Amino acid sequence: MSNKAVLGALSAVLLVAAVIGTVATVASSNHKAASDDSLAASSKSVTAICASTDYTDVCERTLSSAINGSASPKEIIQASFMAAIKEIEAASHLSKNVSLSATDSMNKDGFDICRRLFEDANEELQAAFSETHDLDGLARRTDDIKCWLSAVISYQQTCLDSITQPDLHSTMKDGLVTASQVTSNAIAIVDGLSSLFKNFQVPINVTNIASRRLLSQGSDAKGYPTWFSAHDRKLLAASARGELKPNMVVAQDGSGDYKTINAALNAMPKKYTGRYVIYVKAGIYKENVLVTKDKVNVFMYGDGPRKTVVTGSKNNVDGVQTMNTATFVLCNWHFPAAEGQGFIGKSMGFSNTAGPEKHQAVALRVKGDMSAFFNCRMDAFQDTLYVQAHRQFYRNCVVSGTVDFIFGDSSTILQNCLIVVRRPMDNQQNTVTAHGREEEKEETALVIQNCRIVPDKRLFPDRLKIPSYLGRPWKARSRTIIMESTIGDLIKPEGWLPWDGDQFLNTLYYAEYGNRGPGAGTSGRVNWPGFHVINRQTAQAYTVNSLIQGHRWIKYSGIPYLGGFKN
């Protein structure tokens, strides 16, 4: 057994002891001998808990400096979160100072993006930290906490991507190194605890769970979660019958409550119990919509993805940061993030009409946790669907584009969708995905399951001449899985495209399982160390129930889904 494995086992033993109470916190003492014993015990605890992290030296340094004298394992875990919070605060201060040297509007906007993302990162870290006050809280919400921490790393990378001035980018990159490392370490520590509870089947105290509306409580006799309100039950029943009664109606012709989607969102009450339903009547809505993070529990639906369309044309060539080009932006994340509060979008279209010559031009950007879309369309060219962060699910949707047109650093599954590859500019090649995972410990992946990947009618005549690929690695740990899908003959035999030479080819994770169609053969696929043809057991980790815990929230959205495999 390797030293790292031995230390990892020691960490597990230490934490088990902490959970079941067989080891008490080392008491502080005024006697020098007792004090020395206390320090030694703390040092051993730090070493054991840091063993499973990727940045062990950073972990031991930051935790040791944060702990004075005796410390329980719980306090050490809390210290790992505080280290991440302090580093994000430091990065925020750094960005404010460095932004003063920005000489153009794009980089000034980039630093504004950094400011907003660091605010979000701090909020999510604080939310995660609040769950560490008791081990029950950690055990109940480990999936949520790992998701939030992964989003924090994603935000850091998005900040860096927004700064293009070389000297300023270098300064910010150096300033974010430790922030990324301590956040990664925190994920590793929480993941170790999560595995611990599962392996040792440690019982969890659920006495106070009811007030927090956690889905892990189970369900009632009719199969609804116990926190599910009577209003939500009636809503789902009405949705199934096609009898939804919206809280607001948006209609361009004045027949509704508001003429624009933004006006309806702005009028939404600050406090509302149950799903808030917005019906958007058929029409072309030329507006850039923002669903802010406090707009939780929204269900927005239209008359069909080709009838109710939100459209815009912001783009990178015209001087707009990629993140800000999106026609429809979904940021609703709120703590306490009661499961079931995620956005639901149904029967709507989202479009960016900037065209291929304008390069990055996003139709839909999503970073709201537990977001689900059903029977929707996302149409653009480069960077159509920006799955920025958190857990997302798309079912029976159409996504069209050319270059990297499904991209981001989230845990996203597209299921039973039609993925349409469009004709790019003459000097371009198509890449369906570009996942942006940077750290090994991030709980993120992009999964395409039981979908069809096909050329549109303009590409079809030249589909064998214009190169098209399943994806390329945007970041070092890019992770994309294509499974149980029909892949058309437009996809090149090698399947995947490098980003920049041999960069990331050893660290990425690309996998295929159970695909069909003329483009699904794997004999001619790339021979990169990071590419794999996987079996059913390995693919299980990337199903809806495993990757995004869909059984805990999609089930109650009214959207059909496969929790496991199609076949």
Side-chain angles (χ1 to χ4, degrees):
M1 183 180 288
S2 67
N3 289 337
K4 199 173 187 70
V6 171
L7 287 174
L10 176 60
S11 175
V13 171
L14 174 67
L15 288 171
V16 168
V19 172
I20 64 177
T22 58
V23 174
T25 302
V26 180
S28 60
S29 171
N30 292 327
H31 300 288
K32 184 176 185 301
S35 177
D36 289 344
D37 289 342
S38 174
L39 289 171
S42 293
S43 177
K44 290 179 181 178
S45 297
V46 168
T47 300
I49 287 179
C50 289
S52 63
T53 65
D54 286 342
Y55 305 101
T56 305
D57 292 344
V58 173
C59 181
E60 292 182 2
R61 183 177 71 248
T62 55
L63 296 191
S64 297
S65 64
I67 297 170
N68 295 316
S70 64
S72 68
K74 184 185 78 172
E75 290 170 327
I76 296 173
I77 293 169
Q78 289 179 325
S80 72
F81 282 75
M82 286 306 303
I85 291 171
K86 290 179 180 179
E87 287 297 329
I88 286 295
E89 290 174 347
S92 180
H93 289 307
L94 175 64
S95 69
K96 291 176 183 178
N97 294 331
V98 177
S99 67
L100 299 175
S101 300
T103 58
D104 61 272
S105 60
M106 281 285 278
N107 280 284
K108 290 178 180 178
D109 289 345
F111 280 106
D112 182 62
I113 287 172
C114 290
R115 177 189 59 78
R116 286 183 280 143
L117 290 175
F118 289 147
E119 288 176 359
D120 291 342
N122 186 274
E123 181 178 344
E124 299 199 31
L125 284 169
Q126 295 286 354
F129 179 77
S130 71
E131 298 293 343
T132 65
H133 295 299
D134 63 87
L135 289 171
D136 283 345
L138 271 172
R140 290 192 305 265
R141 306 208 72 171
T142 51
D143 289 326
D144 298 332
I145 292 169
K146 288 188 290 183
C147 172
W148 302 339
L149 294 176
S150 297
V152 169
I153 294 176
S154 174
Y155 298 158
Q156 296 169 32
Q157 292 301 312
T158 303
C159 166
L160 288 178
D161 292 336
S162 302
I163 308 302
T164 57
Q165 197 170 323
D167 56 333
L168 304 187
H169 178 90
S170 178
T171 300
M172 285 304 303
K173 184 176 181 180
D174 292 342
L176 281 170
V177 168
T178 304
S180 180
Q181 291 176 345
V182 296
T183 307
S184 170
N185 287 344
I187 296 174
I189 291 170
V190 173
D191 188 56
L193 184 63
S194 174
S195 300
L196 181 73
F197 279 109
K198 293 176 182 177
N199 293 338
F200 288 85
Q201 298 181 340
V202 178
I204 304 305
N205 180 2
V206 296
T207 304
N208 297 318
I209 299 180
S211 63
R212 307 189 62 179
R213 304 177 68 206
L214 296 181
L215 290 175
S216 54
Q217 287 176 232
S219 56
D220 62 16
K222 293 185 177 181
Y224 291 107
T226 53
W227 58 263
F228 220 48
S229 69
H231 177 276
D232 281 346
R233 300 177 195 214
K234 291 178 181 178
L235 177 66
L236 284 185
S239 176
R241 297 191 303 267
E243 300 172 357
L244 274 179
K245 184 178 180 180
N247 297 87
M248 288 185 185
V249 177
V250 180
Q252 288 180 324
D253 61 8
S255 62
D257 300 297
Y258 297 94
K259 292 185 176 181
T260 68
I261 300 171
N262 278 317
L265 287 167
N266 292 336
M268 181 179 168
K270 292 185 180 295
K271 294 183 179 180
Y272 185 82
T273 302
R275 283 281 176 194
Y276 198 81
V277 183
I278 300 176
Y279 167 39
V280 186
K281 286 188 174 182
I284 306 298
Y285 294 83
K286 296 181 179 180
E287 55 177 319
N288 290 90
V289 177
L290 173 62
V291 183
T292 55
K293 60 186 175 184
D294 59 326
K295 305 296 183 184
V296 299
N297 233 359
V298 173
F299 179 13
M300 186 179 295
Y301 71 101
D303 285 322
R306 290 187 179 274
K307 294 181 178 179
T308 299
V309 180
V310 190
T311 184
S313 59
K314 290 184 178 180
N315 62 85
N316 191 256
V317 170
D318 288 346
V320 181
Q321 286 277 357
T322 299
M323 198 177 99
N324 293 335
T325 64
T327 299
F328 194 101
V329 178
L330 180 58
C331 296
N332 62 324
W333 186 93
H334 182 70
F335 184 81
E339 295 148 340
Q341 287 190 342
F343 180 93
I344 300 174
K346 182 178 179 181
S347 301
M348 294 183 64
F350 309 95
S351 175
N352 191 311
T353 60
E357 68 280 358
K358 295 293 187 176
H359 297 289
Q360 296 96 330
V362 179
L364 175 65
R365 173 167 68 89
V366 179
K367 73 181 184 76
D369 194 18
M370 298 182 186
S371 300
F373 291 82
F374 177 67
N375 189 33
C376 291
R377 285 190 69 99
M378 302 87 186
D379 294 309
F381 288 88
Q382 183 170 344
D383 292 3
T384 302
L385 176 58
Y386 187 0
V387 291
Q388 186 174 5
H390 296 117
R391 291 164 286 194
Q392 306 178 30
F393 180 66
Y394 299 80
R395 170 83 180 202
N396 290 31
C397 292
V398 177
V399 186
S400 73
T402 55
V403 179
D404 305 337
F405 65 94
I406 304 172
F407 78 109
D409 185 20
S410 61
S411 294
T412 291
I413 297 181
L414 290 88
Q415 190 176 89
N416 290 34
C417 291
L418 181 64
I419 298 173
V420 181
V421 183
R422 306 178 74 172
R423 187 184 184 94
M425 293 194 296
D426 290 341
N427 61 341
Q428 289 182 321
Q429 50 205 357
N430 292 315
T431 43
V432 175
T433 67
H435 192 249
R437 177 169 168 257
E438 180 67 23
E439 292 289 340
E440 178 68 29
K441 299 303 183 185
E442 284 185 78
E443 295 281 312
T444 63
L446 177 56
V447 179
I448 294 175
Q449 181 187 18
N450 197 37
C451 296
R452 289 192 297 139
I453 302 174
V454 301
D456 81 347
K457 61 182 181 181
R458 289 193 64 241
L459 176 62
F460 185 83
D462 294 322
R463 69 191 186 284
L464 303 181
K465 298 178 182 178
I466 297 175
S468 295
Y469 302 88
L470 294 172
R472 59 177 181 161
W474 182 24
K475 303 291 183 183
R477 304 287 180 176
S478 179
R479 181 160 61 183
T480 304
I481 296 88
I482 314 292
M483 60 185 190
E484 298 189 306
S485 294
T486 300
I487 302 176
D489 62 1
L490 75 160
I491 297 299
K492 297 280 285 183
E494 53 267 41
W496 306 85
L497 183 70
W499 184 270
D500 183 15
D502 60 1
Q503 189 177 25
F504 309 149
L505 304 188
N506 292 327
T507 54
L508 60 80
Y509 183 88
Y510 286 164
E512 297 181 46
Y513 166 73
N515 296 311
R516 53 196 177 269
T522 58
S523 61
R525 289 294 192 255
V526 293
N527 60 354
W528 306 338
F531 172 74
H532 309 273
V533 177
I534 58 177
N535 58 27
R536 189 181 185 87
Q537 182 179 358
T538 304
Q540 179 67 47
Y542 304 105
T543 57
V544 167
N545 287 346
S546 296
L547 180 66
I548 59 176
Q549 301 82 52
H551 57 294
R552 291 169 45 199
W553 57 282
I554 302 173
K555 179 178 180 180
Y556 310 111
S557 69
I559 296 175
Y561 75 101
L562 295 170
F565 296 104
K566 179 179 183 295
N567 299 311

